[in-house]
Amino acid sequence: MTWRRYVGVDIHDTQLRIAALRKRWRKGGLPVDGRVVDLQHSLEPARLRELDSGQRTGLLAALRDAIQTVAVGEKRIALSLPDRCGYVLPMEIEGFPRLRGEGMAMIDWQLKKLLPGCSGLQFDYQVLKREPGNPTRLLVIAAEKSLLGLYQELLQDAGFSSVHVSFHGLNLYRHWRYRLDPEGDAILVVMTEDGVNLQIYRAGRLEYYNSRRTGAESDRQVQELHRIVAGYAREFSGRIRHRLFLHADRGVERSVVEAINECFGRKAEVLEGHGDSPLVLAADLGAAECLMMGD
């Protein structure tokens, strides 16, 4: 029997991280392949726009070879973009309509107020909670159309269709969510080579999301976490019982974990890879799961 593969592609500067799942009956996804591929060309938007025809041809060939090695004939992929490429915004809106077209128009108006310097945004939303007499709670994901189109066109020219697009931090939570607090109340700290990401969940619903680009130095990342917590104290008050989890692509020293414990006033539980799936592929696997589940 030939099992279908669900492929997640996580984009970084000069690196692709690719992973594939196959569906297990009533048991979610089983990782079947994954690898990290270093590229000769940067995938930063500004660099992609500067490629001449020869460089673009070489990059397309490299993308095609790297992804196809894991995809094994599959053309549909889930694309995971760096957090800096867009916006993840929990919202509460009074009188939010049930018709999707009207909802999109209302969110468009809200985004123009929240992000006045941005134009040409492509966005989507998910209703998290709707109760009579209360504001509707939403999760809005947005990116500039030109930037999103740049990546989608690149992958399409390489022979693939990005049918699901999300951001690195959200895909990490998707991968780890069953390992977090069973009731869904959790604080997730993410440390990568780009910077830090901080997420708060209540009953499995996103309440707070903040991503900062600091570079890979752990001291700078911890400093930035202290700034976030100090600047948004209201977001963290009342969440004393939330368990704290740490995802780090690379191993972190004990002193770093202790500094994070001090920052949040509780002990962090360090998430570790399981089976043959290394930590560095966690976002790919989360993206692939979204594709598999049709989210």
Side-chain angles (χ1 to χ4, degrees):
M1 179 181 294
T2 301
W3 296 92
R4 180 170 190 178
R5 291 190 172 205
Y6 299 89
V7 182
V9 177
D10 192 27
I11 286 183
H12 294 264
D13 182 13
T14 58
Q15 193 178 81
L16 281 184
R17 301 174 183 177
I18 313 158
L21 296 173
R22 71 169 175 84
K23 188 178 291 186
R24 291 186 294 180
W25 180 246
R26 295 182 179 178
K27 292 185 179 180
L30 174 68
V32 292
D33 201 354
R35 62 197 61 200
V36 177
V37 179
D38 293 319
L39 303 171
Q40 292 185 347
H41 297 286
S42 171
L43 295 175
E44 288 280 352
R47 298 292 181 87
L48 287 177
R49 293 187 176 102
E50 295 173 351
L51 293 177
D52 59 35
S53 58
Q55 291 172 329
R56 184 178 176 84
T57 299
L59 178 58
L60 290 175
L63 292 176
R64 189 180 302 113
D65 291 344
I67 298 174
Q68 192 54 53
T69 301
V70 177
V72 190
E74 289 289 342
K75 300 300 182 184
R76 299 166 72 253
I77 65 171
L79 177 61
S80 177
L81 293 175
D83 287 315
R84 63 179 180 272
C85 289
Y87 306 91
V88 178
L89 304 166
M91 288 186 180
E92 290 186 351
I93 300 180
E94 295 276 1
F96 189 76
R98 292 186 178 273
L99 293 178
R100 185 165 181 81
E102 295 178 3
M104 293 290 280
M106 183 172 287
I107 291 173
D108 186 39
W109 181 72
Q110 292 281 349
L111 288 174
K112 288 176 180 176
K113 290 199 308 178
L114 290 170
L115 306 170
C118 300
S119 60
L121 288 175
Q122 184 169 331
F123 62 90
D124 201 355
Y125 73 91
Q126 178 183 357
V127 175
L128 299 178
K129 191 174 185 179
R130 189 194 294 268
E131 292 180 338
N134 292 318
T136 299
R137 189 165 183 80
L138 309 165
L139 177 63
V140 179
I141 300 177
E144 293 184 16
K145 290 180 181 179
S146 59
L147 186 148
L148 185 57
L150 182 69
Y151 285 116
Q152 290 180 319
E153 180 183 355
L154 184 71
L155 289 166
Q156 182 176 340
D157 289 347
F160 302 94
S161 174
S162 53
V163 298
H164 178 88
V165 181
S166 188
F167 296 113
H168 184 82
L170 290 177
N171 288 323
L172 282 173
Y173 174 76
R174 177 76 186 213
H175 175 69
W176 289 121
R177 71 191 191 285
Y178 295 125
R179 301 276 298 278
L180 306 185
D181 192 292
E183 296 180 359
D185 294 346
I187 299 173
L188 176 61
V189 175
V190 177
M191 301 175 71
T192 70
E193 75 281 359
D194 289 333
V196 294
N197 176 284
L198 181 59
Q199 307 173 41
I200 301 176
Y201 290 85
R202 183 174 181 82
R205 294 189 175 98
L206 181 64
E207 289 192 327
Y208 179 83
Y209 193 96
N210 199 327
S211 184
R212 302 282 178 88
R213 192 174 186 182
T214 64
E217 187 180 344
S218 58
D219 287 346
R220 288 189 58 195
Q221 293 180 342
V222 171
Q223 288 174 4
E224 195 62 36
L225 285 171
H226 275 282
R227 292 191 186 99
I228 293 172
V229 173
Y232 296 87
R234 182 175 62 87
E235 302 291 344
F236 300 95
S237 63
R239 295 177 173 83
I240 302 302
R241 297 181 180 178
H242 280 48
R243 290 167 64 189
L244 175 65
F245 297 89
L246 170 64
H247 166 96
D249 282 352
R250 301 166 299 170
V252 291
E253 297 179 359
R254 185 179 185 86
S255 60
V256 174
V257 178
E258 291 174 350
I260 292 174
N261 295 345
E262 180 182 352
C263 178
F264 290 91
R266 70 202 76 187
K267 184 177 180 180
E269 301 177 43
V270 181
L271 295 167
E272 298 178 350
H274 51 89
D276 296 325
S277 301
L279 285 168
V280 74
L281 295 179
D284 314 54
L285 292 169
E289 184 182 332
C290 290
L291 181 59
M292 182 181 71
M293 301 300 294
D295 293 353

